[in-house]
Amino acid sequence: MDNSIILIAVGILVGLILGFIIAKVLEKNNASKLVKEAKKSATLILKEANSEGESIKKDKILQAKEKFIELKSEHEKVIFARDKKMDEAEKRTRDKESQVSNELAKTKKLNESLESKEKDYAHRLDVLEKKQEEVDKLHKSQVQQLEIISSLSAEDAKNQLVESLKGEAKNDAMAFIQSAMEEAKLTAEQDAKKIIINTIQRIGTEEAVDNCVSVFNIESDDVKGRIIGREGRNIRAIEAATGVEIIVDDTPEAIILSCFDSVRREIARLSLHKLVTDGRIHPARIEEVVEKTTKQIEQEIIEVGKRTVIDLGIHNLHPELIKMVGRMKYRSSYGQNLLQHSREVAKLCGVMAAELGLNPKLAKRAGLLHDIGKVPDAETDMETPHAILGMQWAEKFGEKDEVCNAIGAHHDEIEMKSLLAPIVQVCDAISGARPGARRQVLDSYIQRLKDLEDIAFGFNGVKKAYAIQAGRELRVIVESEKVDDQKAADLSFSISQKVQTDMTYPGQVKVTVIRETRAVNIAK
């Protein structure tokens, strides 16, 4: 049993040894084959690498040669350009050297000529000094001889001559002044009328507008009940919020808004329009709409002021003054819209200043601002005359002294210190006195014209009488048989005195009496 195990073990061991030997032999054969194949592939790779290296080498050599040729050509170009610049610089240098040499030659010639002239001038000065000494001696001797002959010294003779010349000059000056004053008196009135007429003719005007009442149109009378509200609460809320009296009467499709303040009246009109359009009308909504409309009107006032100053070509006006100009749109003076009146005065001032050779832009500025005192912010300002208040505001907001003086003096509250002041005063009078500028009651206006004509008809010899130019002129036509030239002059004076004592009127009334003789024959 033990022998068989040993034999088996020996057999296994021998088998293992033989297997190991056979595996080694096979591994050696495989390794030799792999080595041979590796050597073959290595030789092939080396051959390919050598061939590729040769081709790359050739390409690199060709590229290097091309680059070298390119750099060489660029270098040659640079050298050529540098040589060209150097040649040009050398040429300019040679030209400058030639110019300098020419200038030096000219300078040398000039120096030589100057030296010769200096010598000549020195010689002439010596001769002149000698001659001057001789002339002084002769002058002294002649003066001495004249003093001996006239028995007067030179100083006395000089004083007598000066006094005589002064007297002659004074007489000539007085005569010239007298003639200039007479000519100015003759032409001043004519020139002033010409300037005023030309100025008025060049300015377009508008008529007066209503200033106390606005009419709010509605689609139907049913809206009136909604505006009034239950027991009148809506209309009371509108009146309390706007300060405007609302009159709802039998007028069809209309409601009347009454207030002296145009701003408040416009706020009420716009608020009513928004409320009626929206349909919601109750006290809370009314207060909200009125507040929004008030802000809208304030913004509109600023926009109106900006447009006005732009239209008139006025620049660098303070924002507060622009706001005051805009507020003038909602103010009136004697029925005349204040903004339209101020624009008109500004244009008149600009034209008149240009005719007189003054600064038209400054005149426009003074004309536009002359009535800003009529739009006060506080109740305390109401006690100050509007001209003085406007002047104070203009000074506060940095306007020039001429403009401030023109604003304060246009109603003679202060002394006029510049030429702009009388221009503003005259243009204000022109704008306010034209026909249609200031609203009047039609019946009283017609009655005043009729009274004027009746006064003229109360005198003997009057044939016709016409009140023209809005009552500022009464033209009377008389019978030539009953009234001669002297009586016509007396009649004109008597009618003017009668009008002055019996009537009340603004401005002046011109009475013109016309007398003419006609000779008429008929040829048959």
Side-chain angles (χ1 to χ4, degrees), residues 226 233-234 237 275 280-288:
R226 294 166 57 195
R233 64 175 187 173
N234 290 345
L275 290 168
R280 294 177 294 169
I281 306 176
H282 52 82
R285 177 66 178 166
I286 289 168
E287 292 179 359
E288 180 184 353

Side-chain angles (χ1 to χ4, degrees), residues 1 11 30 86 95 99 116 126 130 183 252 267 311 321 359 520:
M1 187 70 179
N30 290 331
M86 290 179 66
D95 293 340
Q99 290 178 0
S116 63
D126 293 336
K130 292 178 181 179
E183 183 179 358
I267 291 172
D311 291 343
L321 293 179
N359 187 345
V520 180

